[in-house]
């Protein structure tokens, strides 16, 4: 309860500050021509949603737009990655760690007018197991039962203690749905959030309007347009010309410097969970031998890839764990130093020569730039990488992620704490290690100290097995109009939380 009270108090104080700054005109452009507060916001993004149903369509683009804005769950992550209450006012946990009792806010309704109650919690979470095919349905496997004790009390019982399940509830799988809205998830989402979807044009824009009956504090920005660009230069030009107000997570960092000395804009640098990953299909003929995967690791100069794709911005990591996770191990960044001779020796040991691989990448700037460096470096050790840029998200998701029809790819994994999903044998990486999966399961049920150590052991094994080449961690750099306040600096979740932004 205290955490919720602090959150509301902070929001109230922030609202007063924002209102005061708006009244005194904190910067040019903060009011309309008629002298009214400027409550319209246009955000420029690159990765466009193919549809609006993140229960069946993987990727970060849909939850980036909808999570916390249109859809809400019992909990959310704040900008520092801390779990805080949302639709749940508070909760208690039994001594054995199995029973979670959630007290829900009263008077909450979905945007179609239907009430949100504990039955909504039961309905939404129970359908994850059988009706979700994307964005981590296995994250809720620890749940044994869900009970609606009363309209405002939901009881969730776990089959075993789990360190991760409540954190995972802050993501897409924790979304609350109304049964009447399921038929139109792809085009007309219905949630309890501060915004509703006004219009959606695939590949062009998504327009959000404020939810007039929102149960919480109304957001400052009443009209939000998410505009999708295929080119980062066009995206930054749109910001310079005033066509958009914010670029959340710029992808071509050589474009940043022009904004640092321009007082009309602000450059926000924060932390992300985006691991830029050179994926190798462990189940393919090309990479089923660990020695071949390790050869690729030694063949790639990850600093050169980061310098080319990111103008040097980022952090070399070596595993699918960012520094914000307590089991991060910085030493794994040095596990496979750039050593083409060692790569050649491993390929010879594996009896592999003149290897040709299908290198299918998304048509995103960092992937296109990075793939060329990878291709050139692999050629030096006798591996020919045939690069094909696929339309993202639709074609890449269909061929690579769902169809597993590839040998190698290069993609950023943005979802927080998703290393356990990457290790699942049915995942697109094809990494099949029962020992690692058992270690993850043991970690999830362990006490807090053992949890961290076991997670570190499992993720270290994955790195040693060269399950993938985790190249570097993408920094979170956003560019915004100088008068924008409350722009999320970090990206601890998949969501771009628009409710905190004001002028």
């Amino acid at each position: 309860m205290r955490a919720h009270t602090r959150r509301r108090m902070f929001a109230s104080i922030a609202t007063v500050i924002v209102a005061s700054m708006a009244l005194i005109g904190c910067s040019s452009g903060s009011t309309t021509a008629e002298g009214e507060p400027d409550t319209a916001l246009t955000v420029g993004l690159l990765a466009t949603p193919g549809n609006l149903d993140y229960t069946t369509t993987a990727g970060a683009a849909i939850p980036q737009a909808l999570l916390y804005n249109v859809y809400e769950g019992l909990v959310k992550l704040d900008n520092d990655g801390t779990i805080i209450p949302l639709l749940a006012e508070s909760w208690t946990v039994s001594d054995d760690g199995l029973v979670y009792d959630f007290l829900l806010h009263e008077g909450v309704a979905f945007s179609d007018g239907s009430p949100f109650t504990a039955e909504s919690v039961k309905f939404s979470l129970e359908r994850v197991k059988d009706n979700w095919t994307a964005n981590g349905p296995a994250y809720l496997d620890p749940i044994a039962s869900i009970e609606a004790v009363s309209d405002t009390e939901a009881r969730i019982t776990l089959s075993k203690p789990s360190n991760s399940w409540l954190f995972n509830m802050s993501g897409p799988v924790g979304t609350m749905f109304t049964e009447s809205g399921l038929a139109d998830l792809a085009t007309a989402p219905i949630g309890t959030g501060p915004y509703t979807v006004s219009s959606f044009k695939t590949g062009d824009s998504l327009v959000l309007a404020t939810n007039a009956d929102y149960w919480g504090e109304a957001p400052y920005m009443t009209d939000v347009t998410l505009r999708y660009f295929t080119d980062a230069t066009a995206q930054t030009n749109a910001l310079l010309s005033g066509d958009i107000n914010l670029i959340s997570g710029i992808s071509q960092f050589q474009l940043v410097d022009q904004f640092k000395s321009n007082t009309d804009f602000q450059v926000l640098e924060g932390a992300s969970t985006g691991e830029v990953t050179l994926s190798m299909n462990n189940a393919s003929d090309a990479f089923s031998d660990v020695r071949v995967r390790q050869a690729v690791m030694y063949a790639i100069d990850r600093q050169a890839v980061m310098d080319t794709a990111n103008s040097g911005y980022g952090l070399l990591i070596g595993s699918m764990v960012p520094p914000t996770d307590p089991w991060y191990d910085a030493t794994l960044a040095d596990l496979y130093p750039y050593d083409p001779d060692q790569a050649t020796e491993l390929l010879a040991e594996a009896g592999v020569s003149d290897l040709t691989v299908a290198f299918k990448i998304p048509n995103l700037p960092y992937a296109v730039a990075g793939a060329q460096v990878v291709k050139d470096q692999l050629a030096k050790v006798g591996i020919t990488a045939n690069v094909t840029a696929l339309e993202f998200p639709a074609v890449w998701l269909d061929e690579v992620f769902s169809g597993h029809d590839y040998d190698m790819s290069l993609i950023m994994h943005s979802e927080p704490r998703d290393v356990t999903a990457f290790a699942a044998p049915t995942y697109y990486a094809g990494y099949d290690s029962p020992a690692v999966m058992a270690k993850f399961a043991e970690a999830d049920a362990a006490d807090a100290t053992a949890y961290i150590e076991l997670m570190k052991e499992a993720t270290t094994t994955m790195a040693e097995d060269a399950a993938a080449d985790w190249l570097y961690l993408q920094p979170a750099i956003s560019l915004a109009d100088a008068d924008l306040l409350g722009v999320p600096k970090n990206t601890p979740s998949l969501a771009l939380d628009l409710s905190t932004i004001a002028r």
Side-chain angles (χ1 to χ4, degrees), residues 387-441:
V387 179
T388 304
L390 304 177
E391 180 189 351
F392 187 87
V395 179
W396 186 90
L397 287 172
D398 182 56
E399 288 194 24
V400 177
F401 189 83
S402 299
H404 303 188
D405 182 15
Y406 81 108
D407 293 316
M408 181 180 288
S409 190
L410 200 161
I411 186 72
M412 182 173 66
H413 288 264
S414 301
E415 189 171 356
R417 299 189 182 181
D418 54 354
V419 65
T420 56
F422 194 92
T426 56
Y427 199 63
Y428 86 104
Y431 176 68
D432 189 0
S433 174
V436 166
M437 292 303 290
K439 186 76 71 174
F440 280 138

Side-chain angles (χ1 to χ4, degrees), residues 45 47 54 57-69 76-78 81 132 134-136 139 167-168 170-173 175 226 248 272-275 412-418 488 490-498:
L45 302 170
Y54 58 55
T57 304
I62 309 175
Q64 179 185 47
L66 301 186
L67 189 61
Y68 304 165
N69 298 318
K76 68 183 289 187
L77 296 183
D78 67 11
W132 283 59
N135 289 307
Y139 289 155
F167 182 93
N168 292 332
S170 68
V173 292
T175 297
L226 306 182
S248 178
S272 85
T273 59
E275 304 98 356
M412 182 173 66
H413 288 264
S414 301
E415 189 171 356
R417 299 189 182 181
D418 54 354
N490 303 322
T491 55
S493 72
L494 293 178
L496 172 57
D497 190 346
L498 299 166

Side-chain angles (χ1 to χ4, degrees), residues 4 7 15 32 37-38 70 74 84 92 94 109 138 155-156 163 177 260 268 284 305 308 401 405 423 427:
H4 172 70
R7 180 172 69 89
T15 301
T32 65
D38 185 359
V70 174
L74 298 181
I84 61 173
T92 59
S94 63
R155 175 170 297 158
I156 298 177
N163 289 293
F177 296 96
K260 287 186 174 180
L268 302 165
S284 71
V305 177
T308 299
F401 189 83
D405 182 15
Y427 199 63

Side-chain angles (χ1 to χ4, degrees), residues 149-233:
V149 179
S150 70
D151 281 352
T152 57
E153 297 172 280
R155 175 170 297 158
I156 298 177
T157 302
L158 308 183
S159 57
K160 58 183 178 181
S162 172
N163 289 293
S164 61
W165 90 275
L166 190 61
F167 182 93
N168 292 332
M169 282 280 286
S170 68
V173 292
T175 297
M176 296 294 113
F177 296 96
T178 179
E179 188 169 1
S180 61
L182 296 183
D184 298 315
L185 289 179
T187 56
I190 295 173
T192 61
Y195 292 98
T196 61
V197 172
S198 177
S199 69
F200 175 52
K201 297 178 182 178
T202 306
D204 179 76
S205 62
L206 174 65
V207 180
L208 304 177
T210 48
N211 179 358
D213 298 317
Y214 182 53
W215 63 273
E217 295 178 17
Y220 182 94
M221 295 299 181
T222 58
D223 300 283
V224 178
T225 299
L226 306 182
R227 276 187 57 191
Y228 296 101
F229 293 82
T230 58
D231 177 75
T233 301

Side-chain angles (χ1 to χ4, degrees), residues 31-44:
T31 59
T32 65
E34 292 74 25
E36 297 295 326
D38 185 359
T39 60
L41 175 72
T42 303
V43 184

Side-chain angles (χ1 to χ4, degrees), residues 3 12 21 119 151 164 196 225 228 236 250 338 340 381 417 423 476:
S12 298
M21 295 185 74
E119 287 292 345
D151 281 352
S164 61
T196 61
T225 299
Y228 296 101
T236 53
I250 190 167
Y338 178 52
V381 300
R417 299 189 182 181

